[in-house]
Amino acid sequence: MISIALMGASGRMGSAINRYILQCDSIRINQAIVRRSNRYFEQLLDNTSVICRESLTPNSDVVVDFTGPEMTMANLKFCQEHHMAMVIGTTGLSEQDIIQIHKASADIAIVFAANTSVAVNLTYLLASLAAKVMPDADVEIIEAHHHHKKDAPSGTALAIGQHIVETKKQALDDVAVYSRHGNDCLRQQGDIGFSTIRGGDIAGEHTAMFIGEGERVEITQRAITRDTFAQGAVKAAEWVAQQKPGLYGMLDVLGLKSLEAFIKSKQ
Ligand code: NAD
């Protein structure tokens, strides 16, 4: 049985992972980490050690982290020092943070996934395929999330863009357009436009549009509950516990990486 240390256990994602793991036989929560000031401290779950970050011990197989950039980077250091595998679901990390994650993956196995939903990862694959088949189409990516979400566009929207530009052998920074306002917003050939919607309790929706002359393809994934991310995170934890050091994504976890590599390599 795999044991995990769950960071941010009382957060929205942490709670969804808690709920899901309680139904699983193959994985258990060894330590649930919450802020010391949290009102659920020491009463979050039955049969689990609920602790604050300072009391974390390296006796779990995998650290599962859905918190915020500052906490995640501190946890990365801890995992590297103690050779613990990690699932990082936190979004909004800086370029510098991502470089640190790459470096740490020389020592430990890390699944780094802006979105752990199986359907979203299928969306990445379909977006790569559409970019290959419709290279001249105008690409627009639209995402919608609940009103608590701080970062925009979502890590998933950026990841969809990243999969598209990798297929087209471009750099996202060269083609991404994050806002349009005023009288000087004419679309340039090759731009990838990002649009953001925030409101209510939307769990997460992403659409990649490939717009040609006279027709368009829209690839849409809608999460109805966070449970889908929680299930993917648990799948990732079970998988990464068996892996050698390296940086992996959900396509690795789902066994789809080589299919995407094939799509990207096709002339
Ligand atoms: P949330 O605010 O509900 O939960 C975050 C938890 O982390 C809270 O319990 C908070 O107390 C804890 N935390 C954050 N910083 C901390 C710190 N410095 N010290 C101690 N505790 C700290 O947020 P959420 O909706 O659960 O999302 C968490 C992260 O996961 C966000 O970055 C979000 O974008 C991301 N997310 C990823 C996926 C995915 O599939 N990868 C899905 C949903 C959300």
Side-chain angles (χ1 to χ4, degrees), residues 76-250:
L76 178 73
K77 198 159 172 275
F78 182 90
C79 289
Q80 199 177 0
E81 281 166 10
H82 298 283
H83 301 285
M84 294 172 79
M86 211 175 169
V87 174
I88 301 177
T90 304
T91 64
L93 297 166
S94 69
E95 258 177 54
Q96 198 52 42
D97 293 339
I98 292 169
I99 290 170
Q100 288 304 319
I101 291 172
H102 275 269
K103 282 187 183 159
S105 70
D107 299 325
I108 57 173
I110 303 174
V111 172
F112 179 35
N115 196 311
T116 48
S117 137
V118 170
V120 160
N121 285 275
L122 177 60
T123 302
Y124 295 154
L125 197 69
L126 295 174
S128 293
L129 183 61
K132 180 59 80 179
V133 176
M134 299 175 71
D136 299 325
D138 292 335
V139 181
E140 294 284 313
I141 298 171
I142 303 157
E143 58 100 344
H145 282 88
H146 53 87
H147 57 207
H148 298 291
K149 187 164 177 64
K150 291 181 185 156
D151 52 314
S154 69
T156 303
L158 292 171
I160 293 172
Q162 187 60 35
H163 283 266
I164 292 168
V165 294
E166 282 173 12
T167 306
K168 296 171 83 168
K169 314 273 185 277
Q170 296 170 331
L172 191 57
D173 281 349
D174 295 341
V175 294
V177 175
Y178 295 113
S179 70
R180 296 184 180 117
H181 179 241
N183 298 323
D184 190 20
C185 299
L186 204 59
R187 183 177 225 292
Q188 304 298 312
Q189 175 67 24
D191 281 355
I192 297 184
F194 288 84
S195 307
T196 296
I197 296 163
R198 290 287 175 267
D201 65 350
I202 301 172
E205 302 186 359
H206 296 85
T207 294
M209 286 190 186
F210 293 80
I211 311 166
E213 297 292 330
E215 62 181 357
R216 70 174 183 266
V217 171
E218 296 184 10
I219 302 164
T220 296
Q221 180 273 348
R222 293 195 176 94
I224 311 302
T225 75
R226 283 184 187 79
D227 295 354
T228 173
F229 309 126
Q231 288 166 21
V234 170
K235 201 185 273 280
E238 290 178 317
W239 184 87
V240 80
Q242 317 294 336
Q243 304 307 314
K244 295 190 181 118
L247 187 57
Y248 305 100
M250 283 303 287

Side-chain angles (χ1 to χ4, degrees), residues 7-14 34-35 38 53 66-71 88-92 113-117 146 149 151 226 229:
M7 303 291 162
S10 63
R12 282 178 290 266
M13 271 306 294
V34 300
R35 284 187 208 271
N38 191 295
R53 170 66 173 73
F66 287 74
T67 57
E70 188 195 339
M71 174 78 156
I88 301 177
T90 304
T91 64
N115 196 311
T116 48
S117 137
H146 53 87
K149 187 164 177 64
D151 52 314
R226 283 184 187 79
F229 309 126

